[in-house]
């Protein structure tokens, strides 16, 4: 759910932000020069870069965090984007993955001390509304959720799905938070095999290979589970018919029931503010508005970066949170890695593009179904059927006639974001082409690409979709702010072709193969150089999984890895367990 900001949003947030030591300060009658020697240099300040910098600095490393944009935070920001008094999360908003991840376990108390607060739900969680008005609601309590299922067998199957995942969450969570080509991941697979046996372990493999649509058809007789959770696959960069969706549906459902849908009190920008304060407290040198031109390599080892006309030396490590092709083809000098690694990185594919639309309302959304008034997040979708069609249209370069609309009502959880009596919508559209070649509805002119006229026309279609379920909505609109796929790419270089998930998460570019078979380890072929960010395992989302993982690997006591059982022996033990 996983989402730097455009110039307008940055201006609303006060423009340039800098944390850490000032670049120059008077001391003892002379001007101190900026530091140029560090233990670690982190390139890119999205959630993974911020987490890695904070954890490494907390362990005593001298860290420099370098960001090309004029603010840190990547796709985490907020501001008064429409009219005064309405605070909108510019990009990403919901933080269940962060709250349940290792980064929060390591940094949560310090971030809270620096002002990070969450608002969450214990009641209605999310809902889906079909074209004909049919509504399916998920509650924080799974037992309350299944009361709305028509088939008794589906109620038991749904609770059983959650129970099965809960019984195996340590092993599955371990796989999502570890290098998948290492001994630790094999031990997690062993734990999965011991608990489930051959048949049960094969079922997990089958779910991973299955699409979400197929897995839900296999397990449930009624439409409710598909209606609720098929649209959520968009938040994983997938479509209802994408492989691995069978596993992701269960993970999404379990995560939401367990962690809810927390949002940052006062807007997501306060998440970044808390990190700014923590980084300053830990003496991290944060350099915004600074473009890294090259990773410096000597004798096969990364020794620093050239950035903003300066050389920043890194005695221990360089961490790069960048698009794979940028790292391997632009930042590394020629010959630093094998040609096949560079070629693989250049073939890394972006996924579908996305849009963000923010709407300020003079009053609550006039939903036909009163139950939706208190639901934080709503999908306008018929389930796999309509969402799959819209994904196919976008993949073919066409604007969907009936897009899936993600309707966020953050003010339900955090009323401080809107004036008394007001409301705001956070709309996410995850089925749009970056280079439109047609409009499936035959209404919009796409010949000039994402022109202002096309953006306005598509936003009008989206608002019309909502108004079908909320008559009179447009009469309450005070202001609209839309960010097109082109705006997303301009805001964040890693959002290639407007893809906020930084690369397609189809199975051939996920898990063992993210970003590719040869480049899937965070530790690169260049000693001391690590690749982090959404383009690496465990992929997109706000868990900060790769930043936390790499920070912990760097901090691991010397010699520990050499004492681990050889991978070959562990693999033989896994096979033996599967046969038993």
């Amino acid at each position: 759910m996983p989402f730097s900001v455009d110039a307008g949003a940055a201006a609303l947030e006060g423009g340039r932000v800098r944390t850490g030591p000032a670049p120059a300060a008077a001391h003892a009658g002379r001007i101190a020069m900026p530091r140029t020697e560090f233990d670690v240099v982190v390139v890119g300040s999205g959630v993974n870069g911020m987490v890695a910098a904070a954890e490494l600095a907390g362990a005593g490393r001298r860290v420099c965090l370098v960001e090309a944009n004029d603010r840190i935070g990547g796709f985490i920001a907020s501001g008064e984007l429409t009219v005064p008094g309405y605070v909108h999360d510019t990009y990403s908003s919901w933080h269940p993955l962060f709250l349940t991840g290792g980064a929060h376990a390591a940094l949560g108390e310090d971030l809270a001390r620096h002002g990070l607060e969450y608002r969450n739900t214990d009641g209605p969680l999310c809902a889906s509304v079909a074209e004909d008005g049919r509504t399916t609601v998920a509650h924080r309590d799974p037992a309350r959720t299944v009361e709305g299922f028509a088939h008794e067998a589906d109620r038991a199957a749904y609770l059983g799905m959650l129970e099965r995942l809960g019984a195996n969450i340590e092993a599955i969570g371990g796989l999502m938070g570890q290098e998948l080509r290492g001994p630790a991941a094999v031990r997690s697979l062993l734990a999965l095999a011991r608990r489930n046996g051959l048949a049960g372990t094969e079922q997990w493999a089958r779910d991973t290979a299955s699409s979400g649509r197929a897995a839900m058809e296999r397990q449930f007789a009624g439409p409710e589970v598909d209606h609720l959770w098929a649209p959520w696959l968009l938040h994983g960069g997938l479509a209802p018919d994408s492989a691995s969706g069978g596993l992701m549906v269960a993970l999404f459902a379990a995560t939401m029931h367990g962690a809810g849908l927390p949002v940052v009190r006062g807007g997501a920008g306060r998440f970044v503010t808390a990190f700014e304060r923590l980084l300053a407290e830990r003496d991290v040198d944060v350099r915004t508005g600074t473009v890294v031109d090259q990773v410096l390599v000597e004798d096969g080892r990364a020794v620093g970066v050239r950035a903003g006309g300066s050389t920043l030396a890194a005695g221990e490590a360089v961490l790069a949170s960048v698009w794979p092709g940028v790292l391997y083809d632009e930042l590394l000098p020629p010959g630093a890695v094998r040609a096949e690694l560079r070629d693989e990185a250049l073939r890394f594919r972006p996924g579908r593009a996305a849009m963000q639309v923010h709407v300020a309302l003079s009053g609550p959304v006039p939903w036909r179904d009163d139950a939706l008034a208190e639901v934080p997040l709503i999908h306008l979708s018929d389930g796999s059927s309509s969402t799959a069609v819209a994904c196919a249209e976008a993949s073919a370069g066409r604007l969907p006639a009936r897009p899936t609309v993600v309707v966020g009502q953050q003010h339900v959880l955090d009323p401080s974001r809107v004036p008394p009596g007001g409301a705001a919508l956070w709309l996410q559209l995850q089925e749009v082409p970056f280079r439109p070649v047609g409009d499936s509805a035959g209404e919009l002119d796409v010949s000039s690409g994402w022109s202002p006229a096309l953006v306005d026309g598509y936003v009008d279609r989206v608002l019309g979709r909502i108004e079908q379920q909320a008559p009179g909505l447009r009469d309450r609109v005070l202001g609209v702010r839309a960010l097109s796929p082109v705006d997303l790419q301009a805001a964040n270089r890693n959002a290639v072709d407007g893809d906020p998930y930084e690369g397609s998460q189809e199975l051939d570019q996920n898990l063992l193969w993210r970003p590719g078979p040869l480049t899937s380890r965070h530790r690169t072929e260049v000693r001391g150089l690590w690749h982090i960010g959404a383009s690496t395992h465990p992929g997109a989302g706000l868990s900060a999984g790769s930043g936390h993982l790499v920070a912990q690997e760097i901090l691991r006591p010397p010699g520990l890895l050499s004492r681990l059982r050889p991978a070959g022996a562990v693999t033989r033990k896994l096979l033996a367990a599967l046969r038993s």
Side-chain angles (χ1 to χ4, degrees), residues 295-297 300-301 327-328 331-339 341 524-527 529:
V295 174
L296 304 176
V297 179
R301 181 177 184 85
L327 175 60
Y328 284 93
L331 296 186
L332 283 172
V337 296
R338 290 174 289 149
L341 272 70
T524 73
E525 196 173 80
V526 177
R527 297 192 310 277
L529 176 63

Side-chain angles (χ1 to χ4, degrees), residues 45-243:
S45 70
V47 65
N48 287 286
M50 291 192 300
V51 163
E55 292 191 22
L56 290 167
R61 301 302 198 271
R62 297 173 300 162
V63 180
C64 181
L65 179 61
V66 188
E67 170 57 51
N69 287 340
D70 60 3
R71 56 174 295 280
I72 69 171
F75 273 144
I76 308 173
S78 62
E80 294 182 336
L81 306 180
T82 54
V83 295
Y86 289 78
V87 176
H88 306 269
D89 289 346
T90 314
Y91 306 104
S92 63
S93 187
W94 318 92
H95 287 207
L97 293 179
F98 184 74
L99 280 182
T100 56
H104 185 265
L107 302 173
E109 290 186 6
D110 287 320
L111 291 170
R113 183 166 49 81
H114 286 297
L116 178 61
E117 296 181 47
Y118 284 102
R119 292 292 180 265
N120 207 344
T121 176
D122 289 322
L125 182 63
C126 61
S128 291
V129 185
E131 186 86 355
D132 61 7
R134 172 174 53 93
T135 299
T136 309
V137 180
H139 298 263
R140 185 75 181 270
D141 181 359
R144 174 72 181 87
T145 299
V146 300
E147 290 176 4
F149 294 1
H151 295 266
E152 183 66 35
D154 284 353
R155 300 174 191 175
Y158 187 81
L159 297 177
M161 177 186 75
L162 298 176
E163 183 178 356
R164 175 171 171 257
L165 183 63
N168 292 275
I169 195 63
E170 185 174 351
I172 293 173
L175 290 170
M176 300 304 289
Q178 297 167 346
E179 293 284 4
L180 291 181
R181 295 180 184 270
V186 177
R187 288 196 299 278
S188 291
L189 286 173
L190 275 170
L192 200 66
R194 282 194 298 268
R195 175 174 287 275
N196 295 275
L198 177 59
T201 304
E202 281 192 287
Q203 182 58 53
W204 285 113
R206 188 185 188 196
D207 288 345
T208 303
S210 294
S211 70
R213 187 206 298 258
M216 288 182 284
E217 287 181 350
R218 187 167 66 237
Q219 297 177 67
F220 304 102
E224 295 90 357
V225 178
D226 180 273
H227 192 209
L228 269 175
W229 298 110
W232 274 99
L233 293 168
L234 300 177
H235 300 267
L238 302 174
D241 295 309
S242 300

Side-chain angles (χ1 to χ4, degrees), residues 228-531:
L228 269 175
W229 298 110
W232 274 99
L233 293 168
L234 300 177
H235 300 267
L238 302 174
D241 295 309
S242 300
S244 77
L247 174 63
M248 293 306 299
V249 163
L251 284 173
F252 274 124
T255 300
M256 303 306 159
H257 285 303
L261 280 172
V263 295
V264 178
R265 182 182 180 276
R270 295 193 178 185
F271 180 89
V272 180
T273 298
F275 262 99
E276 289 172 343
R277 293 169 177 169
L278 179 59
L279 294 170
E281 179 180 78
R282 296 186 175 187
D283 200 28
V284 175
D285 188 337
V286 179
R287 304 193 179 197
T288 56
T290 303
V291 176
V292 173
D293 301 309
Q294 190 174 69
V295 174
L296 304 176
V297 179
E298 293 181 3
D299 297 325
R301 181 177 184 85
V303 296
V305 302
R306 187 172 63 239
S310 300
T311 296
L312 306 176
E316 187 172 0
V318 173
L319 280 59
S321 183
V322 298
W323 183 262
V326 170
L327 175 60
Y328 284 93
D329 188 50
E330 298 181 25
L331 296 186
L332 283 172
V337 296
R338 290 174 289 149
E340 50 263 45
L341 272 70
R342 172 184 172 275
D343 293 343
E344 180 178 277
L346 289 173
R347 291 194 298 270
F348 187 63
R349 308 185 312 278
R352 292 183 307 275
M355 289 182 67
Q356 288 290 140
V357 182
H358 303 287
V359 185
L361 301 172
S362 61
V365 181
W367 295 109
R368 290 186 188 273
D369 188 335
D370 293 339
L372 297 175
E374 298 303 317
V375 179
L377 191 146
I378 300 160
H379 291 98
L380 302 187
S381 167
D382 292 352
S384 287
S385 56
S386 69
T387 294
V389 170
C391 286
E393 289 172 331
S395 296
R398 305 184 67 83
L399 297 174
R402 292 176 55 212
T404 303
V405 183
V406 186
V407 183
Q409 301 186 120
Q410 286 86 342
H411 63 279
V412 169
L413 303 177
D414 180 15
S416 72
R417 296 173 176 229
V418 298
L425 298 181
W426 175 93
L427 307 179
Q428 194 173 50
L429 309 170
Q430 299 156 304
E431 307 150 328
V432 292
F434 185 70
R435 300 174 185 85
V437 298
D439 175 26
S440 293
E443 299 169 346
L444 301 176
D445 179 7
V446 303
S447 60
S448 299
W450 285 105
S451 64
L454 182 59
V455 172
D456 289 346
Y458 199 64
V459 168
D460 187 65
R461 177 177 299 171
V462 169
L463 293 178
R465 287 268 287 156
I466 302 172
E467 193 159 35
Q468 287 179 344
Q469 310 302 331
L473 174 78
R474 293 176 200 263
D475 294 337
R476 303 186 181 190
V477 173
L478 300 176
V480 177
R481 174 74 175 274
L483 301 173
S484 75
V486 176
D487 295 323
L488 295 186
Q489 179 176 259
N492 188 332
R493 189 182 181 188
N494 289 333
V496 172
D497 286 359
D499 170 17
Y501 301 114
E502 297 185 17
S504 168
Q505 298 205 144
E506 297 286 339
L507 188 54
D508 70 310
Q509 285 195 171
N510 209 354
L511 301 173
L512 276 170
W513 307 290
R514 190 165 187 86
L518 299 176
T519 53
S520 60
R521 292 180 174 85
H522 295 91
R523 186 195 300 265
T524 73
E525 196 173 80
V526 177
R527 297 192 310 277
L529 176 63
W530 301 77
H531 191 191

